[in-house]
Amino acid sequence: MNLNYILSRLAQMIVVLVGVSVLIFVLTRVLPGDPVAAALGDRATVGQMAQLRAEMGLDLPLWQQYARFVTGLFSGNMGLSLVEKRDVSIVIAERLPATLELIFAALFIAIVVGVPLGVLAAVNRNGIIDQVSRVVALFGVSFPQFWVGIMLQLLMGLALAWLPITGRSSVPMPPAITGFLTIDSLVALDFTAFGNAIRHLICPALVLAAGPLATIMRMVRANMIDEFEKPYPELAQALGMHPFIINFKYVLRNAFTPTLTLIGFLIPIMIGSSFVVEKVFAWPGLARYGADAIMANDFNGVIGITLVICFFVVLLNLIVDLLYPIIDPRIRLGAEK
Amino acid sequence: MSERAASTAAAATPIEAVDAKLTTEPSYPRLRRFVRNRPAAIGSVCLALMFVVMIAWPWLVPYPDDVADAVNFDRMLEPPSLEFWFGTDEAGRDILTRIMAGTGMSLGLGLVVITCAIVIGVPVGMVAGYYGGWTERIIMRIVDVFSSVPALVLALAISVLLGPSLTNAMIALSIVWWRVFARIAHGQTLSLKSEPYVAIARQMGASDRHILFREILPNMASAILVTATLDAGAVILIGTSISFLGAGASPPAAEWGLMVASGRAYLPGSWWPSLFPGLAIFAAVMSLNMIGDGLRDFFAGE
């Protein structure tokens, strides 16, 4: 693979990360929100507030505060979280796997269900499957996730009682290796814990997957239909090739590149949605901590979370870009530059 | 005096004279073509009804006293009935009344945020695409920075930092959303500036401003309109989420996301206080999506 391309992308990543850190740093310092007032409450004296402000370095000039933050970052120190009373980096390390597990599970559902449905809808264009999928897609992108989460909890928790509706696990957890409960329990050969983890994942992952699933399905359908206009599917059919092979092996592969771009776009949206979904399902992840930190004006927490999220957004987008030439060998990365 | 004479002279370049004479074709056949798209027609009717409610709710609601902080101990958490179609909430207020009164908050949020985002984003994106070079590089890197933080996260943070309120949620969302239109305007300008009519306009002596706003902008209007309609729905979803999380409208406002949040405390026994406001959000966003999809198909067919 083109090494120069990857290096230039990594450089771009760093520029974006620096930009985001400056943006969020300036926003927290310039806008009226005050962490000290939020942490100490209304009864704190002026002296107490000034003391905490000095301890946190909030009385320094803006550029000195930023310099302190960056030097701290290089020693793996993101500053004290006022919500958790611990260093932000420790909280993030502890909670990141839960959020990643949820987002990967949702992305998995969205792709594994969305892509075949899109192919089916394209093959039966304007047929019953296509019409139903059109309506389902419209619903998928139109409902508020917090509301569907609550309704799903109501349905599952009371009427059906099939699945757990809050938290991540209700049995003793396997020893943490990756932090992903599904993987750790398999490594420990603890199948009860594995089943339990999967059952806890289903509801929040479904809510998180619905919108992306809908958009992926419509995107695959539209691009499959464009590919069907070309001569090669007809030729393959004339040669007696099985329709399943034509559709999934040849046409889908050619039609998949725009979907890959779409998945890159969907990742930040899904991370944003996880803030709401984790809150509704009491999922002990990074996003729930992030929402709490934002609500409490916990500056160090807000900056740490934003940077980690941004890092994953740019990293996953880089991975998506590196997948292009694997899926479609006609594409050469960095060739146009 | 001389300034005015100069500007008249500028307007009198041949290309601007031609532009001034061009009249748009009668729009009725196009309207008919749009309405023939059934989902788009249904969405338009729903949205029009919501706009009527948004303006006329004081005369339409069944229980005008229940809009804000009334407390009716005699009818708390009553299930839906003929008297209270959507039931009553924990303070005995009619939920239908409150949903109708809250229409303006969600639709208004969508409208204001999208308008601000277009006003900021489109000129910035056009300048980046038209002038290129360092201007473009710097502007597009800033757009990248804003795009790499999820919209909900950035808007939530800004809204809390400004102090939670519906107005601040709107400001926060506008700060977040301009990048969407900057990117579209940038891409459109890049492709439109190599069109022959732009080259001709330049040769005829048109100013950059004339080319940007009279030649390029009208030709990207359809792309902006489609995105504006679809994104108004997305903005409403995020706006109600911000209120749901407690960083937007505050009680006793009849904001839909806030109503779902406060109704949650009375689940599972009373499901109606959280069900119906959510359905209202759903109806508003779905109408906008149906219109947006219809507009996209409509412009693709031209």
Side-chain angles (χ1 to χ4, degrees):
Chain A
M1 201 164 291
N2 192 336
L3 191 67
N4 278 338
Y5 174 77
I6 297 180
L7 284 177
S8 79
R9 282 298 304 268
L10 286 177
Q12 265 181 37
M13 255 176 87
I14 292 167
V15 171
V16 168
L17 279 172
V18 171
V20 167
S21 73
V22 171
L23 171 73
I24 198 77
F25 200 87
V26 169
L27 282 177
T28 52
R29 263 62 177 185
V30 168
L31 297 181
D34 183 0
V36 173
L40 293 179
D42 298 335
R43 293 194 190 162
T45 62
V46 179
Q48 285 171 322
M49 296 200 12
Q51 195 192 342
L52 183 59
R53 195 160 283 147
E55 271 173 33
M56 294 179 67
L58 289 171
D59 52 349
L60 299 171
L62 197 60
W63 67 270
Q64 279 185 19
Q65 291 187 36
Y66 186 72
R68 267 175 63 144
F69 168 73
V70 172
T71 33
L73 207 56
F74 279 109
S75 52
N77 180 341
M78 288 180 166
L80 186 75
S81 162
L82 292 174
V83 173
E84 290 265 337
K85 317 284 182 215
R86 291 184 289 166
D87 194 274
V88 172
S89 52
I90 299 173
V91 184
I92 289 177
E94 196 178 281
R95 285 174 166 251
L96 182 62
T99 293
L100 287 181
E101 188 170 40
L102 178 60
I103 286 173
F104 286 143
L107 201 55
F108 178 79
I109 295 175
I111 293 172
V112 166
V113 180
V115 171
L117 280 183
V119 173
L120 280 180
V123 173
N124 305 295
R125 189 177 178 183
N126 295 329
I128 184 81
I129 297 177
D130 193 22
Q131 300 291 358
V132 170
S133 84
R134 184 172 299 161
V135 175
V136 170
L138 188 61
F139 277 49
V141 294
S142 299
F143 61 67
Q145 280 156 325
F146 58 88
W147 177 75
V148 163
I150 292 171
M151 292 301 131
L152 193 62
Q153 285 181 321
L154 197 61
L155 191 72
M156 283 296 168
L158 295 149
L160 301 174
W162 287 341
L163 293 164
I165 52 174
T166 52
R168 222 182 147 197
S169 171
S170 51
V171 292
M173 294 199 193
I177 302 164
T178 57
F180 285 57
L181 273 186
T182 45
I183 296 175
D184 287 354
S185 56
L186 280 184
V187 171
L189 296 176
D190 184 349
F191 294 106
T192 328
F194 178 73
N196 191 274
I198 293 282
R199 283 163 54 84
H200 277 86
L201 257 176
I202 293 176
C203 283
L206 275 180
V207 174
L208 202 52
L213 194 158
T215 28
I216 288 175
M217 178 170 79
R218 297 309 289 171
M219 181 64 110
V220 169
R221 173 193 178 270
N223 289 302
M224 288 284 289
I225 286 174
D226 285 349
E227 283 294 314
F228 281 140
E229 303 286 310
K230 295 182 180 167
Y232 72 90
E234 208 174 347
L235 176 68
Q237 201 179 11
L239 290 172
M241 202 179 278
H242 193 275
F244 186 85
I245 307 273
I246 302 175
N247 291 334
F248 280 88
K249 190 175 173 197
Y250 293 99
V251 181
L252 176 62
R253 189 162 176 169
N254 285 328
F256 198 71
T257 323
T259 309
L260 205 55
T261 313
L262 176 70
I263 291 170
F265 278 117
L266 288 174
I267 286 166
I269 295 177
M270 290 176 82
I271 296 179
S273 307
S274 68
F275 273 61
V276 172
V277 172
E278 289 195 1
K279 199 82 187 153
V280 169
F281 286 95
W283 191 259
L286 193 66
R288 200 168 122 226
Y289 168 62
D292 292 343
I294 289 175
M295 294 305 296
N297 266 329
D298 181 353
F299 283 4
N300 292 332
V302 174
I303 295 168
I305 294 276
T306 317
L307 274 185
V308 171
I309 287 174
C310 173
F311 173 75
F312 276 97
V313 169
V314 284
L315 180 73
L316 289 171
N317 269 300
L318 177 63
I319 294 174
V320 164
D321 282 1
L322 295 181
L323 283 176
Y324 282 124
I326 297 174
I327 288 185
D328 190 340
R330 290 171 298 183
I331 298 174
R332 287 239 206 95
L333 292 178
E336 79 273 55
K337 287 191 179 167
Chain B
M1 239 352 233
S2 64
E3 234 180 76
R4 196 171 161 187
S7 75
T8 343
T13 55
I15 188 72
E16 281 160 47
V18 171
D19 266 13
K21 274 186 197 159
L22 271 178
T23 48
T24 45
E25 54 175 304
S27 56
Y28 296 116
R30 305 168 80 197
L31 183 68
R32 206 173 301 145
R33 196 156 66 78
F34 176 70
V35 171
R36 213 178 295 140
N37 180 333
R38 215 184 307 153
I42 296 171
S44 307
V45 171
C46 287
L47 196 69
L49 282 176
M50 282 184 215
F51 270 108
V52 171
V53 173
M54 171 176 159
I55 293 160
W57 65 264
W59 299 280
L60 295 174
V61 294
Y63 298 89
D65 296 336
D66 287 3
V67 170
D69 50 1
V71 180
N72 306 306
F73 289 112
D74 53 326
R75 47 175 161 96
M76 286 185 336
L77 291 173
E78 290 214 14
S81 61
L82 278 177
E83 202 180 342
F84 307 105
W85 289 6
F86 291 175
T88 63
D89 67 7
E90 72 278 6
R93 295 170 295 194
D94 178 46
I95 290 172
L96 176 62
T97 299
R98 284 172 58 76
I99 289 178
M100 289 169 78
T103 312
M105 290 191 214
S106 293
L107 287 190
L109 173 122
L111 204 65
V112 170
V113 169
I114 291 296
T115 310
C116 292
I118 290 176
V119 168
I120 305 168
V122 169
V124 170
M126 277 169 52
V127 164
Y130 188 71
Y131 291 105
W134 277 104
T135 323
E136 179 183 31
R137 236 168 283 169
I138 291 170
I139 291 177
M140 293 323 284
R141 273 300 96 78
I142 296 175
V143 169
D144 283 348
V145 166
F146 275 84
S147 317
S148 63
V149 185
L152 174 67
V153 179
L154 193 56
L156 189 67
I158 297 176
S159 183
V160 174
L161 286 164
L162 287 170
S165 76
L166 194 64
T167 318
N168 286 343
M170 287 185 198
I171 297 174
L173 274 164
S174 310
I175 295 174
V176 170
W177 223 269
W178 68 273
R179 62 164 167 90
V180 173
F181 292 97
R183 192 159 269 170
I184 291 170
H186 172 246
Q188 292 275 324
T189 309
L190 274 185
S191 65
L192 290 174
K193 79 174 175 184
S194 54
E195 291 281 323
Y197 59 79
V198 174
I200 292 170
R202 196 176 291 138
Q203 279 173 4
M204 291 173 94
S207 62
D208 282 356
R209 222 176 88 190
H210 173 88
I211 293 175
L212 279 174
F213 289 97
R214 306 286 304 176
E215 306 294 338
I216 294 180
L217 185 61
N219 285 295
M220 65 167 85
S222 57
I224 293 171
L225 185 64
V226 171
T227 311
T229 316
L230 293 172
D231 278 21
V235 165
I236 290 176
L237 286 181
I238 296 187
T240 50
S241 300
I242 289 175
S243 286
F244 172 80
L245 290 171
S250 49
E255 203 279 339
W256 293 343
L258 192 63
M259 288 169 73
V260 175
S262 48
R264 213 185 158 196
Y266 304 94
L267 291 172
S270 312
W271 43 268
W272 50 93
S274 42
L275 174 77
F276 291 111
L279 281 179
I281 302 170
F282 177 68
V285 177
M286 188 152 95
S287 305
L288 285 163
N289 280 332
M290 291 198 287
I291 299 170
D293 285 344
L295 283 175
R296 188 171 44 203
D297 294 349
F298 174 81
F299 289 124
E302 290 218 318

